[in-house]
Amino acid sequence: MNNPNNPSFFSLEPDKPGLPKDQRTLYRTVYSILYHLPLLSLFIAVGVGVVYWLGFSGLLDKDEPRLLIVAGIALATTLLQLPVFQLFRKGNLKLAAILLLIINSLSSVTQVFVWQGISWLFLGIALIPVLIFVIQNGISPRYRFAGVIFGLFIAILIQVFDQNLTYQRIAIGNSLTPIAALAIYVMVVTAMAMLVVLDSLINFQTISGRLTTTFTFIALLSSIALLVIAALANLYFDRQKVFSELDAASKVRAYQVGVALDNLGADANLRFSDPTIFPLVQTLHDSQEGSKAFNDAMDRVRSYISLQQSQNASFQEVILVDERGKAIFSTLPNNIGYDFSDYIFYQNIRMGINSSIENKFPGSFDQASIIIIKPFIVRSTLLGALAIRENTDRLKQVLSANTGLGKSAETYLVGLSKGEMVPLSNTQKNINKINTRPAEQALMYQSQQGSGIWDNYYGIPVLGSYIRIPDIKAVLIAEIDQNEVTQKTIDIASTNAIIGIFTLLLTFTIVFLTSRSIGLPIVDLANKATDLSTGELNTRMETNRQDEIGTLAESFNSMANELQGLVRNLEDKVNERTQELRKQTNYLRVAAEVARDATTAKNLDELLNRAAQLVLDRFGFYHTGIFLIDDRKEFAVLRASPTIAGKEMLGRKHKLKVGQVGIVGNVAQNGEPRIAEDTALDATHFKNPSLPNTRSEMALPLKVNDEIIGVLDVQSEQPNAFSQDEISILQVMADQLALAIQRVRLSEEQDANLKRLEIAYQQFTFDSWNKLRQAASFQPGYAYDGISLLPILSLPPNLRETLSNGKSIVLPENRLDPNSTTLAVPLKLRNQIIGILHIQLGSRTISSDTIILFEEAANRLANALENARLFSETQKSAERDRTVSQITSKIRSTNDPKEMIQIALNELKQTLQLHDARIMPYTPPQKFENG
């Protein structure tokens, strides 16, 4: 049993009724997710790990090591969620919610790097917690909006990664191992979603409803899990059985194809075993084409070949090719002279293979043709060969024989023809190329045999087996449609589903009856507790049960008895305390209003007057005054008072000596609040004739950083008018008022400093440009006529108005050029006019936008001129420093005083271009003292 004073790490309170509505909703939602998510993530890790072990042990059809990465991600998700428990326990709900969303989303995004083609699943996993937060009634709109934006970002991120990752990932295709792992993943995620929804969104009115719903959901999930596992197991064993049968069928067909080819080869060799044909072929090889010997030999070969073909109906064509693969003779005249060097049968001659199967052989109407080869070789030299093309009736009988596997089962041959994989036998659908995985493995990569699931030549997933036949460079493939194999599993799953539904209904009935027997007494207890909480203290429960509920009823009755006695004693105390709290709350509210209103003043006098008036109005005192300490720290000077007497004292500049006169002077010195509960008995109290009705007085220091800047003085017509709580509240208000005074003072001082600085900058600018104008090299202005820059000797009279008012002026119409407009724009720098930009435009009017454009250009031109002036002054200063440095260095090059003087005179004359320079010694007058 957990100790409530020392809870375990995973123990959390499911609800906090004392929180505000939105916080409570957020608390329940985070609790529900945090309560279920780590455990379910751990289940995913364990379940996927078990699936990997099953695949590794051979109990499933594939060993998939990448499932360990999936399990690792789920385990890491669980570990990352553990610190959130502590945050949640400390009340950091927002941070806990944000971390849960981030961790769950990162887990889903990371899984996309491992899985391929199921981004919809991880998108759903990432968005489930987000949607739960968004659809909560108590969640504020800004959190909903942030949740929607976050969800969209994660959705886009998952889609981008899924579409742009190019490496091989786990695909949910034909392998049972990833399907089993995915099934576990989906079931656990479904459980997570349902449990979180049940806990956070559905407000069950009764325990029986919660028990019925929860256990029914568990039963449903268990039934689905059993159905999925059973279906996967049946599918696995059915596939293994089909694979075994396909392997046997492909091996048998391959053997039968080999036997058929051997028989055909034996027939061909028997027919063309006459030894007289060999010398004739050698004569054809050695004689020149067209010679008498060549023609005689060809006639005899032609007669011999034609005779043999006529005696065997299976021989469709007989071809005699030379050593280069060219047809010297063919029983089909169209093939005479045809180049067969690229065909498989000619290539097999070089390799010593005496048979082949050709696709779409010239002159043949069949899909494939069997070629039996009889080579003529003398001393390792190929003279030529006979190619006997036979029909494929025997192969068709072998390949078309029923395998007994199913309606969609078929076996066919695939071979290479001119670099392409083509069918060498009839297929269920006519096709010219077969670019399937088994054909590629056997023909391109020389794989001898194999089985698996792939897409066949018209894109349908099939279960298949293949075996390579090296003698004819072909592969025999046996396939069956995957849907036909899985249909049995679907039928069994349907039957199991019907049984599962019946079991689920039975489970629901049992759970419903059981939950009612447990829930109804608890509902009755809840109703009695509600009656007790509404004030019906005489409410009691029946105690006729011997189980835990009976014990709970007895405890309830005992608690009701004690509560009934306690309520009577507490009612009076609660009423008294409520009155005190109400009064204190009113004071705090008034103090806050005073501080808030006082701090909105714009200057010090307004601040002090408003604060004094607010204190007087809100607290109802006889007199209120605010004193400030003068600069010498000698007097506390009255600066604000809204009463008639206070205004009189302000008129005569009332002040009190610090540390000597009255309570105010005392507080102004020591900085501690002082109260005269009865002024008649307090010797420190200053009896002001303007305030004859004062019976009690309180002075509060106005301090900023331990510095006393003033005193807040309040007086009442009643003795003992100030309590300790009022002193504390008013002191808080006084502290805020002191800060406001300090703020206003600093603001006023800052404004004054800025004004002085601005005036100084303006004067500096004025003096600098006046000095520049007085220079001998100063040029009053320049004019640009579109070609060159011309100097101006004096300012035109019509520009005086621009200098006087500092504004842009459109000058009167030019009589010499009435179609133009002249604009004068002042060049301003720190509110000082340093020049005028005089522009003449070739139009009768000028728009306001154009004037604004020229004014902006004038401002930039003024800044540029100022920068140029500063740069010129900097250059002159640097030149002077450099000259002085050079003269000083030359003077220091000697220790002779005369030589030093001579060097100094020479350098000054040369540098300043002087006609004469002298150094005059000075002898001070002597003073004589009478001794």
Side-chain angles (χ1 to χ4, degrees), residues 251-290:
K251 291 178 181 178
V252 170
R253 296 292 188 275
Y255 174 76
Q256 292 174 343
V257 168
V259 171
L261 291 176
D262 291 342
N263 293 335
L264 291 174
D267 291 344
N269 288 328
L270 181 62
R271 288 293 179 182
F272 293 95
S273 60
D274 190 345
T276 59
I277 192 66
F278 191 89
L280 296 175
V281 172
Q282 188 170 6
T283 300
L284 293 175
H285 178 269
D286 296 338
S287 301
Q288 185 175 3
E289 185 176 358

Side-chain angles (χ1 to χ4, degrees), residues 235 238-239 242 408 463 480-490:
L235 181 61
D238 287 345
R239 284 184 176 181
V242 170
S408 61
L463 280 69
I480 185 172
D481 192 342
Q482 180 180 237
N483 292 332
E484 185 176 354
V485 177
T486 57
Q487 186 61 44
K488 295 180 181 179
T489 303
I490 294 174

Side-chain angles (χ1 to χ4, degrees), residues 586-644:
N586 290 334
Y587 277 132
L588 288 172
R589 184 175 64 252
V590 171
E593 291 176 357
V594 171
R596 180 198 62 200
D597 294 342
T599 54
T600 58
K602 297 181 180 179
N603 55 59
L604 184 58
D605 290 334
E606 181 184 355
L607 169 66
L608 297 176
N609 290 326
R610 183 182 295 182
Q613 185 67 52
L614 289 172
V615 172
L616 183 67
D617 294 341
R618 304 296 175 84
F619 287 89
F621 294 132
Y622 167 57
H623 171 74
T624 300
I626 299 176
F627 292 80
L628 295 182
I629 309 299
D630 61 7
D631 295 337
R632 295 183 178 181
K633 309 294 184 182
E634 294 181 0
F635 293 96
V637 182
L638 181 64
R639 292 293 301 273
S641 179
T643 61
I644 297 175

Side-chain angles (χ1 to χ4, degrees), residues 338-376:
Y338 194 91
D339 186 2
F340 290 98
S341 59
D342 291 335
Y343 281 72
I344 297 175
F345 79 88
Y346 179 76
Q347 297 172 2
N348 284 353
I349 297 174
R350 301 286 185 178
M351 301 172 60
I353 301 174
N354 296 329
S355 63
S356 70
I357 298 180
E358 302 286 350
N359 175 259
K360 294 183 178 180
F361 198 84
S364 174
F365 297 100
D366 293 332
Q367 175 75 20
S369 300
I370 299 175
I371 307 297
I372 304 300
I373 307 162
K374 184 176 179 58
F376 301 102

Side-chain angles (χ1 to χ4, degrees), residues 266-326:
D267 291 344
N269 288 328
L270 181 62
R271 288 293 179 182
F272 293 95
S273 60
D274 190 345
T276 59
I277 192 66
F278 191 89
L280 296 175
V281 172
Q282 188 170 6
T283 300
L284 293 175
H285 178 269
D286 296 338
S287 301
Q288 185 175 3
E289 185 176 358
S291 63
K292 184 177 184 303
F294 181 89
N295 292 333
D296 291 342
M298 177 59 69
D299 291 338
R300 295 180 61 184
V301 168
R302 183 183 298 113
S303 299
Y304 176 76
I305 292 175
S306 299
L307 176 63
Q308 298 301 323
Q309 182 186 19
S310 64
Q311 294 178 354
N312 193 329
S314 64
F315 293 169
Q316 295 181 338
E317 181 184 6
V318 180
I319 306 171
L320 176 63
V321 297
D322 60 13
E323 72 277 8
R324 295 183 301 275
K326 181 179 179 181

Side-chain angles (χ1 to χ4, degrees), residues 89-145:
R89 193 176 288 110
K90 291 181 178 180
N92 296 330
L93 300 181
K94 296 179 182 178
L95 181 58
I98 293 172
L99 287 178
L100 283 177
L101 292 179
I102 292 176
I103 293 171
N104 183 66
S105 301
L106 287 178
S107 176
S108 301
V109 172
T110 308
Q111 291 286 8
V112 176
F113 286 85
V114 186
W115 294 89
Q116 183 176 359
I118 55 172
S119 59
W120 52 268
L121 172 64
F122 302 111
L123 182 61
I125 296 172
L127 294 183
I128 285 174
V130 176
L131 292 176
I132 290 174
F133 278 107
V134 170
I135 64 178
Q136 289 285 4
N137 292 327
I139 300 297
S140 63
R142 62 175 181 174
Y143 291 143
R144 292 172 186 248
F145 179 74

Side-chain angles (χ1 to χ4, degrees), residues 877-894:
S877 178
E879 181 64 25
R880 286 195 300 268
D881 293 341
R882 184 181 64 81
T883 302
V884 172
S885 177
Q886 290 177 351
I887 294 174
T888 303
S889 298
K890 291 181 179 180
I891 291 174
R892 290 178 178 176
S893 63
T894 179

